[in-house]
Structure formats: structure tokens, C-alpha cells
Amino acid sequence: MTLKVLGVGSSLREGASSTTALSTALDFAKKQGAETRLLDLKQTKLPLYDPTENQFVFEIKKVQDDVNWSDALILSTPDYHGSMSGAMKNFLDYFWAEFAGKTFGYICASHEKGLTAMDQMRTAVRQCYGWSIPYGVSVSDSEDFVNGKITSKLESRLDMLARDLVVYGNLIRQQFVIDLNGNSTNTFVSRYRK
């Protein structure tokens, strides 16, 4: 199975380090045999989520198609006051039902490691029956970029994230599909059967 990895960048800043790191991680995932797509929420703006409205606009449909296409995702955000970006939270509010049985990796640009922001994304994904790589990649502009280029140290961390996401993502997704097509009621996957 060729794993399909969707990278979701949520910085609205031009040339954001979190989005640059995400693009690099997707390149490494390709080298591991994955098919990849980048969803940059700066370019594809989602309207503010409103559960009371039936919003059928082009941006929502396009993003939903990308999320449905994916087997695994890498979520990338800047650290805003110890939390994820509003664009990332809005994305997570829209597409929670599509996350079950998918593996997630995390990247956070932060001068303070971004641990709380990554934990919050991980918590949201867990609530949606998604699986998480047990670590994330923290990006610091002052330590991980020299003259606008990613350092080899950051490349190494992104390569490890991509490798683990492809390997473990494949295992989890394959088992999810087997359980989805099976008849066992003793699995959380049974609730997703049609």
C-alpha cells in the first residue's frame, strides 16, 4: 500500500518556518515511498467553523477531498501563546470525523519547544480516534535555519518523523481498513462501518 500523507500548514505568515519544515518533511516522506500533498491554510482559507450552518463552499470541499484522500497527516503550526494557530484549530473543528484510523505527526515553530501546542493538537486528534506519533518536531528559527536554509540537524529530525509516519502509518491504516471491512464488534472501528 502506498501511504498518502497530507501536510497541513497553518501559519498565515509568508515564508513561515513551520511551513518550510513541513514541505521538507513531505519531501522525506516521498523518499520513503509515500504520496504527498501540501495543504497550506494561508492559500486555502477556510471560513470560520459554524456547526449551525451547512457550508458548501469550494474551499471546504477541496480541503475535505484532501483529508478524505489521506491515510496520514502532518500538522504544522506556529506556537501562539502556548497554543496552536487559529487556522489549525479551525481546520481541526471541520474535519474531526475523517481522522479515525489515520496517523498524525506534528511540527511546531516555537522559541519555547512548542510542547503545549503539539499536546493540544495531539489531544484533539485523540478525541477524533486518530493515532499520533509519540513525539513532535520543534522548530526554532534561530537554531534551525542559517541564511534562510534548514540546518542538517533539523533535516535529520524531519527525516525521522517522515520515516516513522510512513512506517507506522502504513501499519495502522492497513489494520483500520481490515477492521472496517471485517465483522468484529470488539473494535472502535465498527462504529465507522456503513
Side-chain angles (χ1 to χ4, degrees):
M1 172 178 148
T2 300
L3 194 75
K4 294 176 281 211
V5 178
L6 178 64
V8 181
S10 66
S11 177
L12 303 184
R13 190 167 53 87
E14 197 65 47
S17 56
S18 59
T19 307
T20 301
L22 175 61
S23 294
T24 302
L26 291 173
D27 288 343
F28 283 125
K30 275 186 200 172
K31 289 179 182 175
Q32 292 290 331
E35 194 177 331
T36 66
R37 289 183 187 173
L38 172 63
L39 171 62
D40 186 347
L41 295 176
K42 178 174 176 41
Q43 306 301 322
T44 304
K45 295 187 188 307
L46 289 168
L48 189 61
Y49 179 70
D50 181 348
T52 64
E53 288 187 21
N54 198 0
Q55 300 175 342
F56 289 101
V57 297
F58 174 77
E59 289 81 8
I60 297 171
K61 177 72 172 110
K62 185 227 178 287
V63 175
Q64 187 169 38
D65 289 347
D66 283 344
V67 172
N68 286 333
W69 167 87
S70 70
D71 299 311
L73 294 91
I74 302 174
L75 305 181
S76 178
T77 186
D79 181 342
Y80 289 149
H81 312 295
S83 186
M84 68 187 96
S85 71
M88 178 58 72
K89 178 63 171 84
N90 194 46
F91 168 81
L92 293 171
D93 287 345
Y94 267 103
F95 302 106
W96 56 271
E98 295 86 350
F99 294 162
K102 297 182 182 187
T103 304
F104 287 73
Y106 305 93
I107 298 171
C108 185
S110 174
H111 65 282
E112 294 182 340
K113 304 283 185 219
L115 297 177
T116 56
M118 286 189 275
D119 281 347
Q120 290 164 3
M121 290 187 292
R122 196 174 281 113
T123 297
V125 166
R126 183 178 64 239
Q127 291 294 111
C128 303
Y129 292 92
W131 299 75
S132 290
I133 296 293
Y135 62 88
V137 174
S138 178
V139 177
S140 168
D141 286 357
S142 63
E143 296 174 20
D144 293 317
F145 288 82
V146 176
N147 299 324
K149 304 272 188 204
I150 290 180
T151 64
S152 60
K153 197 171 169 186
L154 176 56
E155 277 190 342
S156 178
R157 296 193 315 266
L158 294 170
D159 190 14
M160 183 173 82
L161 176 69
R163 183 263 178 206
D164 286 348
L165 185 75
V166 171
V167 170
Y168 295 105
N170 252 319
L171 294 170
I172 289 169
R173 192 63 182 166
Q174 286 179 36
Q175 188 60 53
F176 182 84
V177 171
I178 289 167
D179 288 346
L180 195 61
N181 294 319
N183 56 14
S184 174
T185 57
N186 195 21
T187 172
F188 81 97
V189 180
S190 64
R191 71 187 294 193
Y192 295 96
R193 294 185 189 129
K194 295 187 187 217

